[in-house]
Amino acid sequence: MVPKGLAPYVPFAATATPKAIPPSDISSQSHQAPDFVLIDDDKLIGELWVKIASQKGKKALSFSKPEDFYAIMDSLPKTTPIYVDQSLGDNVEGLQVTKKLHQEHGFTHLYLATGYDPSEFGNVPWLKGIQDKMPPV
């Protein structure tokens, strides 16, 4: 299932689709910092964000588990925009992941990318924003 807002970006012809970059492959990529990062347990959403970013001339990284991101986060600038889904599976909440990234690791450009209404979260001082699942390009 694809969120309605992302439907125009889903290819209908049989073509090769760019994949999210696994953490093990990041070291083999250019050392250019990504324009943004997504952490979302829905791999299709991650692949779409990477594809849309590429079509717009941007570089995006996608991770399906916070632990995969933690493995490479020290190589990124602390101002890298990081978008985190609220419901990551295995009882992991994006709000707690963003709090950890801010308080323990110093990241400053953190967002929730979620289908939940932003008013459900109240004021979260470490977040720059709460948005839908559309990539920021």
Side-chain angles (χ1 to χ4, degrees):
M1 172 113 41
V2 177
K4 187 189 308 184
L6 294 176
Y9 300 103
V10 176
F12 291 101
T15 60
T17 303
K19 302 260 187 230
I21 301 172
S24 59
D25 292 346
I26 289 175
S27 61
S28 66
Q29 300 294 318
S30 74
H31 294 291
Q32 173 192 359
D35 293 295
F36 56 88
V37 171
L38 173 68
I39 303 172
D40 193 321
D41 62 324
D42 186 332
K43 291 181 181 184
L44 178 59
I45 297 292
E47 289 176 6
L48 286 171
W49 276 48
V50 170
K51 179 180 176 117
I52 292 167
S54 177
Q55 290 173 341
K56 302 285 187 175
K58 303 286 184 181
K59 181 178 178 183
L61 298 178
S62 175
F63 301 90
S64 59
K65 295 180 181 178
E67 295 78 16
D68 295 338
F69 174 73
Y70 299 153
I72 64 92
M73 70 181 172
D74 290 336
S75 67
L76 299 177
K78 300 300 183 190
T79 56
T80 302
I82 302 170
Y83 296 81
V84 183
D85 181 30
Q86 172 59 11
S87 300
L88 291 168
D90 297 326
N91 294 318
V92 177
E93 293 184 350
L95 202 55
Q96 296 308 313
V97 171
T98 59
K99 184 176 183 179
K100 177 178 180 174
L101 290 173
H102 178 70
Q103 291 182 343
E104 296 178 22
H105 303 286
F107 285 93
T108 58
H109 289 68
L110 300 167
Y111 303 84
L112 281 184
T114 183
Y116 293 107
D117 187 309
S119 66
E120 293 182 34
F121 299 98
N123 181 30
V124 184
W126 62 87
L127 290 180
K128 290 274 188 189
I130 300 171
Q131 68 163 57
D132 60 19
K133 293 280 191 127
M134 290 297 294
V137 291

